[in-house]
Amino acid sequence: MAAAPPPDGQEKVIAAAQHIVKSLASSKNAADDMIRILSGFDNRLSLMSDLFPPPPSAAAVDSILEAEEGTSQGEGDERDPDPDEDDAVARAEAEWDAAAEAIERWESPAAGDALVFDSREDAEEYLAAAACLARAPGQRADAALQAAMARLEDEFRHLLVRGAPPLAAEDLQASLLRRLSLTVPSFNSSAVDLDCPSFAQHHAAANEGGDEQQGGRSSASDDEISPYLIAPDTVSALRDIADVMLRAGYAPELCQVYGEVRRDTLMECLAVLGVDKMSLEEVQRVEWGVLDGKMKKWIQALMVVVRGLLAEERRICSQILAADPNAEEECFTEAAKGCVLQMLNFGDAIAIGKRSTEKLFRILGMYEALAEVLPELEGLFSGEAKDFIKEEAEGILVRLGDAVRGTIEEFANAIQGETSRRPLPGGEIHPLTRYVMNYVRLLADYNASLNKLLECWDTELTGVDNPNMTPSGHCVLMLITHLQCKIDEKSRLYEDEALQNIFLMNNLLYIVQKVKDSELKTLLGDNWIRKHRGQIRQYSTGYLRSSWTRVLACLRDDGLPHTMGSSSQLKAALKDRFKNFNLAFEELYRTHTSWRVVDPQLREELKISISEKVLPAYRSFVGRFRGQLEGGRGSARYIKYNPDDLENQVSDFFEGRKPNA
């Protein structure tokens, strides 16, 4: 039974395919490859049993090549003709001529600016013709092949450019993060955005609001978005062009185009992510607020670039250039190295740039991000490129580590060198204390990295010799010890010993609370906290002794005339005692209500301690001697307060009221 005729519209495609396949049959290696290409274009071709006639013998192909060679050399071997081989030669030459003609049509003026890959059928025919000419002898075939390769190179470039979808910054970052389930670190430097060399003007910036700000991590949404650096249908067309060009020996030209276009695309992606190309000089000149934003974007972009952009680029590169692993490596390296080097160069500029304390947490963030993705970054490359990238990145990690250590040393020196001489009103928490403790608390969030970076520090540098403490523990203890020494020094700016103790209590309790409520507790331990709570109690005792000893002395019997003696002498002495008590208490009320104990619990504990010492003594003294003054003229001038009045007055202490308020 005769086979059914093909449906309308297929005759032209089938005829062209048969025409090309006959020519492929003369190639020892190309036939199977091009049959795969044709079948990939249209599965109808793979189902037509009469499409692929039996190929001519290998001897026939060899005879064609030998004939061409003999003709070019003017030497022909005489032998008996083989009719079958002559027919094969004639068929192959006809197919090569037909393939050359198909290429030449696109070089004629009639083709204009049309693109082969605007039409699927045109692309199928053109690729098959170009593949047919890959081993064809003769000048016409060579010229047609060169023209075909030039056009395919241009169309390859055009498809690469056209196939890259435009993305805004939020689209590019969010889509890649969601697809790859990445978590990008976000850091808040607002708690440490002060100018470290002088702590005298930290009042506005180092406030309680900053106490609660910490570095955190924000997770990307799980929404399903599937981003493509090149559209999937375009990847298929690019792969077919690459297959033909690679088998024709045009790998260098192909790799040059791929590298140029994809390098520019990846660099544009960097710009979209906010990573600009900056020289060392530009990095040094830019103001901190701008540089801080760029460092933050670099940290976030590094994750997106390595795990998103470059991983996706590697995937599509392996698809397009699957036919030649060497070309794949070359193309990916050329495309990716500019992007990688720009990222690394910025990191290096930060590492070797001028050190300042506000940069420390961004530098630590950059160090952690690079250390985390480095194995993945290395894994994307191979050979010399891998070795180069690894060497560069590891060198930058070393220099970033040097910058971390150097910045911490400078910060320690800045604490010790702080020279403000004006005492704070009311003995409140010094801005230096807030600044340093917020800084140190943020350092504790980088405990693992600091343990690695600071393991080479010796006890002479930190001033701490505790074999059970980690390197990061030594570091924070050193900084807190420097702070405590500076606070002790500043307490002596107060002439009133009681206010010195209030100042020391306020600042030490703030330090202890910051340690207790953060990772610093793990680094310093419970013993450190207990020891310093005991020191706070000592300051409290010192306050009570220095403030209330003179007041309580007025309520003792010591020095009073004996009750068996003159009544007038006792009354005079009692009047003098009550008068002195009233004056002393009123002076304390005037000053201590303007002082401020910041922590509410400590404030109430101090008030209770005062009441427990003063009120019983006053109640007892009044109870024993009230009768001596009652009934006399002006007795109310001396016994001005009852115990409840005193208790109410004490409740106003340490609230930081303004004088005469």
Side-chain angles (χ1 to χ4, degrees):
M1 178 182 290
D8 293 341
Q10 292 187 2
E11 292 89 341
K12 181 179 178 181
V13 176
I14 295 171
Q18 288 174 326
H19 183 72
I20 294 165
V21 171
K22 290 177 182 177
S23 68
L24 293 175
S26 65
S27 168
K28 293 180 179 178
N29 301 315
D32 290 340
D33 295 328
M34 290 314 300
I35 288 170
R36 179 186 57 77
I37 292 173
L38 288 170
S39 299
F41 282 133
D42 196 324
N43 60 10
R44 293 172 297 178
L45 302 179
S46 65
L47 299 176
M48 297 174 187
S49 59
D50 60 344
L51 179 60
F52 307 112
S57 65
V61 178
D62 290 339
S63 67
I64 298 171
L65 299 176
E66 289 170 3
E68 290 289 339
E69 182 180 358
T71 301
S72 63
Q73 296 176 354
E75 302 174 355
D77 292 336
E78 300 239 352
R79 60 175 183 168
D80 293 334
D82 184 334
D84 292 335
E85 290 186 4
D86 289 344
D87 289 343
V89 169
R91 287 197 306 272
E93 289 177 341
E95 300 303 338
W96 289 330
D97 287 341
E101 183 180 345
I103 300 299
E104 291 163 355
R105 283 200 304 272
W106 283 93
E107 303 304 315
S108 67
D113 296 329
L115 295 173
V116 171
F117 278 79
D118 282 346
S119 165
R120 187 178 183 87
E121 290 185 359
D122 289 341
E124 294 171 0
E125 180 183 19
Y126 197 90
L127 282 173
C132 178
L133 293 171
R135 293 194 64 206
Q139 293 182 352
R140 183 186 183 189
D142 287 342
L145 180 62
Q146 292 180 21
M149 293 299 107
R151 176 170 288 276
L152 288 177
E153 182 180 324
D154 290 341
E155 300 237 357
F156 190 81
R157 182 188 300 273
H158 177 77
L159 287 171
L160 281 174
V161 173
R162 187 181 67 184
L167 285 172
E170 58 274 14
D171 296 331
L172 181 61
Q173 179 165 316
S175 62
L176 286 168
L177 289 177
R178 289 166 182 167
R179 179 171 182 260
L180 298 166
S181 299
L182 298 180
T183 299
V184 174
S186 62
F187 302 90
N188 187 340
S189 65
S190 58
V192 290
D193 59 355
L194 307 176
D195 187 12
C196 185
S198 174
F199 293 91
Q201 300 178 349
H202 289 170
H203 300 266
N207 52 37
E208 286 293 346
D211 297 344
E212 303 306 321
Q213 294 167 336
Q214 303 183 55
R217 296 191 179 269
S218 58
S219 297
S221 168
D222 293 329
D223 294 346
E224 287 297 328
I225 294 182
S226 183
Y228 296 101
L229 298 183
I230 301 178
D233 57 341
T234 305
V235 171
S236 178
L238 290 167
R239 180 177 62 247
D240 293 327
I241 294 176
D243 285 349
V244 173
M245 292 187 69
L246 290 170
R247 284 167 174 76
Y250 281 74
E253 293 80 358
L254 181 71
C255 291
Q256 181 177 356
V257 173
Y258 186 96
E260 289 176 357
V261 175
R262 297 306 300 163
R263 179 180 64 243
D264 292 345
T265 300
L266 291 176
M267 296 298 279
E268 290 173 7
C269 289
L270 276 190
V272 168
L273 291 170
V275 180
D276 302 319
K277 187 174 183 179
M278 298 180 69
S279 65
L280 175 61
E281 293 73 19
E282 290 172 326
V283 171
Q284 301 287 11
R285 288 196 304 266
V286 70
E287 64 180 22
W288 164 240
V290 175
L291 185 61
D292 179 53
K294 291 185 178 296
M295 293 170 74
K296 178 180 179 180
K297 288 180 179 179
W298 186 93
I299 294 169
Q300 295 174 335
L302 184 64
M303 301 288 188
V304 176
V305 167
V306 175
R307 294 175 175 171
L309 289 178
L310 295 184
E312 179 73 0
E313 184 66 31
R314 185 74 199 197
R315 185 183 68 82
I316 62 175
C317 186
S318 65
Q319 290 180 350
I320 293 171
L321 299 155
D324 189 336
N326 291 332
E328 176 191 337
E329 292 299 330
E330 181 179 349
C331 286
F332 175 77
T333 299
E334 288 301 313
K337 68 179 181 181
C339 169
V340 173
L341 289 178
Q342 180 169 319
M343 294 291 294
L344 294 180
N345 287 340
F346 180 81
D348 203 27
I350 294 296
I352 65 179
K354 183 179 178 181
R355 292 171 184 167
S356 58
T357 55
E358 67 267 18
K359 293 180 183 178
L360 178 60
F361 300 102
R362 291 290 184 221
I363 294 175
L364 276 166
M366 293 174 69
Y367 175 89
E368 287 191 345
L370 183 56
E372 181 177 339
V373 303
L374 181 53
E376 298 164 68
L377 179 60
E378 291 178 24
L380 292 169
F381 295 89
S382 64
E384 294 181 359
K386 178 177 182 177
D387 295 339
F388 175 77
I389 295 295
K390 180 180 180 181
E391 182 179 355
E392 287 293 307
E394 288 179 344
I396 292 169
L397 280 176
V398 170
R399 290 187 285 278
L400 286 171
D402 291 340
V404 168
R405 288 185 290 270
T407 303
I408 292 175
E409 290 177 22
E410 290 189 7
F411 184 60
N413 293 334
I415 296 172
Q416 294 174 300
E418 202 279 334
T419 57
S420 63
R421 301 294 299 170
R422 182 199 289 180
L424 287 180
E428 293 199 38
I429 299 169
H430 199 281
L432 174 64
T433 304
R434 296 185 187 276
Y435 183 91
V436 172
M437 290 311 299
N438 283 326
Y439 201 95
V440 171
R441 188 180 67 173
L442 288 174
L443 270 181
D445 291 338
Y446 298 90
N447 179 37
S449 294
L450 287 174
N451 281 336
K452 181 177 180 181
L453 291 172
L454 304 180
E455 62 184 356
C456 60
W457 277 19
D458 55 30
T459 56
E460 291 184 7
L461 182 61
T462 62
V464 178
D465 186 9
N466 185 341
N468 297 322
M469 190 171 285
T470 64
S472 58
H474 281 108
C475 173
V476 300
L477 182 57
M478 170 192 72
L479 296 175
I480 292 175
T481 301
H482 289 337
L483 172 62
Q484 288 181 266
C485 291
K486 185 58 64 173
I487 292 302
D488 285 341
E489 177 184 316
K490 292 185 180 301
S491 72
R492 292 189 283 275
L493 297 174
Y494 298 98
E495 294 181 359
D496 191 323
E497 183 183 351
L499 187 53
Q500 290 180 10
N501 283 288
I502 293 294
F503 174 79
L504 290 169
M505 271 191 288
N506 276 329
N507 284 270
L508 185 56
L509 180 59
Y510 183 88
I511 293 170
V512 170
Q513 287 175 334
K514 289 296 178 185
V515 171
K516 181 176 69 71
D517 298 335
S518 70
E519 284 299 312
L520 293 171
K521 179 179 180 181
T522 303
L523 297 177
L524 299 180
D526 292 332
N527 287 337
W528 186 94
I529 294 175
R530 282 193 294 270
K531 174 184 175 182
H532 287 80
R533 283 198 178 280
Q535 196 169 354
I536 293 171
R537 288 192 293 272
Q538 292 177 9
Y539 292 144
S540 175
T541 301
Y543 159 77
L544 292 170
R545 182 181 62 251
S546 58
S547 293
W548 295 94
T549 299
R550 187 165 65 91
V551 174
L552 292 172
C554 298
L555 304 177
R556 293 194 181 97
D557 294 351
D558 299 347
L560 290 175
H562 197 273
T563 55
M564 299 299 293
S566 170
S567 175
S568 60
Q569 290 180 341
L570 178 60
K571 287 183 179 180
L574 289 173
K575 289 179 181 179
D576 190 55
R577 288 289 184 93
F578 277 109
K579 179 182 177 181
N580 289 337
F581 173 85
N582 293 337
L583 289 173
F585 182 83
E586 287 164 4
E587 174 62 20
L588 289 180
Y589 182 85
R590 184 183 65 81
T591 57
H592 290 201
T593 53
S594 67
W595 296 355
R596 182 162 184 253
V597 174
V598 178
D599 181 72
Q601 182 177 343
L602 178 60
R603 185 165 61 241
E604 291 305 313
E605 288 175 357
L606 278 177
K607 292 177 183 180
I608 292 171
S609 297
I610 293 169
S611 296
E612 288 177 346
K613 281 184 173 294
V614 175
L615 295 183
Y618 184 77
R619 186 177 289 110
S620 175
F621 192 80
V622 170
R624 292 198 310 275
F625 298 109
R626 179 188 295 272
Q628 297 291 333
L629 299 179
E630 282 183 345
R633 188 174 58 180
S635 62
R637 291 168 46 198
Y638 301 105
I639 307 177
K640 293 174 64 174
Y641 306 102
N642 62 46
D644 291 340
D645 293 334
L646 291 181
E647 189 170 9
N648 290 335
Q649 298 252 25
V650 169
S651 68
D652 294 335
F653 281 20
F654 314 126
E655 298 291 344
R657 296 180 180 179
K658 294 181 180 180
N660 301 321

